[in-house]
Amino acid sequence: MFSFRLTFFVHCYYYNVFLYYHLFVPAVRSSDGPRKRTNEKMVGTATRHLDEFKINCLHQFTKKELNEHAVAQWNYQVNKTEATEHEAMRSSIRLFIYQKLLVTSAENMSVAFGMSYEDLLPLVYFVHDRGICQLNTDEYKTTLMLKRKLKTTINELTVCEYRKTNHPCDVTADEINVIMASSSDAIELKYYWKAWHNHTSYDVKNIYMNYIEMLNYMARLNRFSNEVDYYMEPYNSHNQGQLNADQMYEGIRPLYLHLYTHVRKILREKFGTATVSANGPIPVHLLGSVLGQPWTKLIPFMVQEFVVHESGKTHSMTPAKRLFDQANRFFVSIGMGCVPKSVWSHSVWKDNKHFSNRQPSSWDLYANNDFRIKMDVKDTVEDVYTMHKQLGLVHYFAAYKNQPIAYQHTSNPAFVYGVINALTLSVRYQDFIGRYNDSASSRSAYLLRLAMEKVAVLPFAYAADVWHSEACTSSFAPKRMNDHWWSKRLKYEGVVSPISKDMDKCMNPNYKPFDPSAAYAEVIELPHIKDFLGPIIEFQVFKALCTICGEYKSKHAKTKHLYECNLRGYKKVGKIIKSVMASGSSVEWKFLFETIVGHRRVEIEPLLEYFQPLHNHLLKTNQETNEHIGWK
């Protein structure tokens, strides 16, 4: 079917070009004089129109292919069945074949289009990068199957219920996540943590090793030594190699150590000194999830220490439509306008246990401004911020729609993360103080909540990236991968496995753990450095926008803190961000970054400046209880 459609397109295309050329391009006479110059001008104009026509034909057919692929992926995301899963896989392979055919035919097409080969290449690399297109179809299918198998292995696991020996083993991964976030029984948490890893470790490790082997093979096809060098190329072009990441980690470390020490103190009070020591690392199973990230799962009992007085305003969350309208009003206030009305009607706001995953996401379906959001609204405070983020992405999609199809996607993922989240920072603060009295304690509570999300993840993202880089470059033997995983997490995060290696060997000498399986996103989605740079860029962009609007001046930081900046109502913000978004991927992200902040350096200082009041507060409280800062 696909071959027929492509053949049909090629025949129709050249037939249309033939008609267009002979109907609209007049012959050039050989005689001299004004008539020749007139004909030359007509030929030049007609040729330009012909080139535009050719490229438009390519764009329109490509857009149709992208739309069919996006619809298949959307259907699978919101309604996971065997049929939608099969169609999603089939559409990915079909799109890959289509793009690969364009890539391999690019040299001949450049002659037919009257374009240089270099100018044509961006028009055919519209979904997959050049590296993926070096694979053959069977190799591409293998990468898809490995990723799908990994997700299935993790998402469909079931384990036995704690202390229920004669019951069916039907506790699902989602139920384990709820238990890890809510239980106060350290032994129960340890049981589910180990049961989860016992179920997934062996299978996930095999999948992971095969996947890395395939990515390294792809990198070598593209003249890179390994996939780490390949995926780091966009960051290295911005002088963001590992050396600068090292420096940024060291910059964030003092703030992280005081946040970490405070969290350990709260966990020690909750679970007791026998479980959490006063100066040692934190057992990872106590941090609210199997992975131990994000720390936001700890917020419900962490903020109680700070929030003493509540305002008289209601704390019940609004339904999805009101959250949607609230976010829309914010973007209108900064001059970015409303999203299309169809976004609301075409989106899905409730998971009826058919979502393929529960992560909120925004979608561009490449057809008549058909943008959609998939989000399971639970009426939590986090939904307010999530809705703003998703609508921000929809604005991104709408802004770059005038770009050629090849550039109709976002630029560097860390940069996109930073820009979208920067816009929500002022929304977060204003929403929070609207729920609680605007006092020193409520402001500290706000900063603590945000630090648990933005600061605590940085050492983990950095540790995961260092570990992955060493795993891909064979810096250690595969049998040592798990040991090195915990070595990096201890060094950078201060967390440890609740199960000792010696205990594992005594209980099962053949058991070979692979604890990075704790979340497929931390294993399979690359590179991890985007999760490290994203929050850093976020605060840098936020400070730049606040400074441009006159909402913040560093020299007046003692009277008005950076976190108090409110971007609502400033049309300058929308003008700048919209111009950046409108570029899509046609401009390198470092130049777009420069448009906002005035230079191309990624710096840690704005993040530290934002959290400086919290840092001061934690320094004081940790000293008052004579806490050991960090871990031994």
Side-chain angles (χ1 to χ4, degrees), residues 4-5 72 180 201 247 268 277 369-370 412 477 498 543 597:
F4 169 78
R5 288 174 55 196
M180 296 298 293
S201 286
Q247 294 172 351
R268 189 170 69 248
S277 70
N369 289 330
D370 188 356
N412 183 290
K543 180 182 177 181
V597 305

Side-chain angles (χ1 to χ4, degrees), residues 311-329:
S311 68
K313 297 182 180 180
T314 178
H315 287 256
S316 61
M317 295 299 298
T318 57
K321 185 64 170 73
R322 293 184 63 191
L323 290 179
F324 181 87
D325 291 343
Q326 178 184 345
N328 229 350
R329 287 193 296 271

Side-chain angles (χ1 to χ4, degrees), residues 37-91:
R37 288 193 295 272
T38 301
N39 279 344
E40 287 176 344
K41 183 177 181 180
M42 292 174 64
V43 170
T45 302
T47 301
R48 285 194 298 273
H49 286 306
L50 177 60
D51 291 340
E52 292 174 3
F53 173 77
K54 295 173 184 177
I55 295 172
N56 186 59
C57 284
L58 176 62
H59 283 177
Q60 291 305 314
F61 193 76
T62 297
K63 192 172 183 179
K64 181 176 176 59
E65 290 294 326
L66 286 169
N67 171 250
E68 292 180 1
H69 173 260
V71 169
Q73 301 303 317
W74 168 264
N75 290 338
Y76 170 66
Q77 287 286 323
V78 300
N79 183 28
K80 181 183 177 182
T81 65
E82 187 174 336
T84 58
E85 183 176 11
H86 174 75
E87 179 57 28
M89 180 73 75
R90 192 174 73 89
S91 71

Side-chain angles (χ1 to χ4, degrees), residues 491-543:
K491 178 179 179 180
Y492 297 111
E493 284 185 86
V495 301
V496 292
S497 167
I499 307 295
S500 71
K501 183 171 63 174
D502 292 337
M503 184 183 298
D504 272 337
K505 287 183 177 180
C506 291
M507 296 177 66
N508 184 356
N510 297 318
Y511 175 58
K512 297 178 175 59
F514 185 66
D515 296 334
S517 65
Y520 73 82
E522 278 65 44
V523 174
I524 214 75
E525 303 300 336
L526 308 170
H528 299 285
I529 197 67
K530 73 179 187 298
D531 300 317
F532 180 77
L533 289 179
I536 296 173
I537 292 174
E538 171 185 347
F539 289 92
Q540 196 170 353
V541 169
F542 181 70
K543 180 182 177 181

Side-chain angles (χ1 to χ4, degrees), residues 89 138-154 203-215 520 523-525:
M89 180 73 75
D138 288 338
E139 291 165 345
Y140 178 70
K141 288 180 182 178
T142 299
T143 61
L144 284 182
M145 292 301 297
L146 287 171
K147 294 180 75 170
R148 188 61 53 85
K149 186 177 180 181
L150 179 64
K151 295 178 183 181
T152 301
T153 300
I154 293 175
D203 289 338
V204 170
K205 183 175 182 179
N206 289 337
I207 298 170
Y208 179 74
M209 295 303 296
N210 290 331
Y211 186 69
I212 291 302
E213 183 179 351
M214 181 62 70
L215 292 183
Y520 73 82
V523 174
I524 214 75
E525 303 300 336

Side-chain angles (χ1 to χ4, degrees), residues 90-107:
R90 192 174 73 89
S91 71
S92 294
I93 296 170
R94 185 176 64 219
L95 186 62
F96 172 81
I97 293 173
Y98 171 69
Q99 182 173 340
K100 187 170 179 64
L101 184 59
L102 291 182
V103 172
T104 55
S105 305
E107 190 168 348

